[in-house]
Amino acid sequence: MKERKEKRVSAIKNGTVIDHIPSNSMFKVISMLNLDQIEYPITFGTNLKSNKDGTKGIIKISDIHLDSDDLNKIALVAPKAVLNVIKDYEVTEKQVVDLPDKISGIVKCVNPKCITNVENVKTKFNVVSKKPVHLHCHYCEKITTQDLIQTL
Ligand code: CTP
Ligand code: ZN
């Protein structure tokens, strides 16, 4: 019998493929990147079998390139994600996402009394641990941990 290889999510011509997203972070990534507000074609799959990681999610966004804030957001919930830039059907760039040592303005401070939650002050954190993520607030010194991360 002829063996058939199933194409799970079709290839795209130009744009961005975010691969190796843990299945349980898929919808966080979708909401953090505000993909519900994008008007370009988006396809995604989740709970797909992966040789490396058990199951994974994948997001393909045509004609869009992500900026460094987007990459940092992905790194917060999907530290093993791989970003592929696609041009004319070829992968022209492959980047493993990485959290920088400092992040500002992406995440809300966990402390309700922090000045960043009371006044119009942009959040600022030192990344004191990457796995699991621990963010040390520059203003109130409280630690926001991975499970409590809420993005702005
Ligand atoms: N891809 C795509 N459209 C293209 C080319 C690639 O959607 N025109 C997707 C592939 O389906 C894959 C990802 O982009 O999910 C990366 O492609 P490639 O580097 O060819 O795959 P792998 O070698 O499996 O990547 P990795 O080693 O990062 O898992
Ligand atoms: Zn704070």
Side-chain angles (χ1 to χ4, degrees):
M1 202 166 80
K2 205 172 121 196
E3 203 182 309
R4 288 197 188 178
K5 194 166 182 243
E6 187 188 357
K7 269 262 178 232
R8 293 168 305 183
V9 188
S10 340
I12 59 171
K13 183 163 193 237
N14 288 298
T16 302
V17 173
I18 312 164
D19 200 355
H20 302 289
I21 303 169
S23 294
N24 60 8
S25 293
M26 268 300 273
F27 290 94
K28 274 188 213 153
V29 174
I30 288 168
S31 78
M32 282 163 112
L33 299 181
N34 298 318
L35 295 185
D36 56 334
Q37 286 160 41
I38 287 183
E39 288 180 0
Y40 295 91
I42 305 174
T43 50
F44 64 85
T46 189
N47 300 325
L48 305 175
K49 275 208 188 77
S50 157
N51 300 332
K52 294 180 206 162
D53 321 306
T55 75
K56 67 169 185 179
I58 184 160
I59 302 175
K60 304 190 178 190
I61 316 165
S62 296
D63 302 322
I64 287 271
H65 294 285
L66 300 179
D67 62 23
S68 60
D69 266 9
D70 292 329
L71 293 186
N72 294 343
K73 287 181 184 174
I74 297 169
L76 286 168
V77 296
K80 283 196 267 175
V82 176
L83 197 100
N84 298 276
V85 176
I86 313 292
K87 290 194 179 129
D88 207 14
Y89 289 107
E90 299 291 327
V91 178
T92 58
E93 264 177 68
K94 199 180 263 291
Q95 200 181 344
V96 181
V97 302
D98 186 26
L99 204 56
D101 298 331
K102 291 175 192 294
I103 58 170
S104 60
I106 294 172
V107 178
K108 205 171 136 52
C109 178
V110 75
N111 173 12
K113 292 187 182 148
C114 178
I115 186 160
T116 60
N117 284 317
V118 179
E119 288 177 30
N120 191 14
V121 175
K122 195 173 171 181
T123 59
K124 236 162 120 174
F125 300 93
N126 278 316
V127 179
V128 289
S129 161
K130 291 192 184 185
K131 232 186 240 178
V133 179
H134 284 179
L135 306 174
H136 175 261
C137 178
H138 169 78
Y139 295 101
C140 73
E141 309 262 336
K142 289 268 185 302
I143 300 277
T144 299
T145 53
Q146 178 138 18
D147 46 319
L148 296 176
I149 286 174
Q150 279 191 298
T151 48
L152 294 164

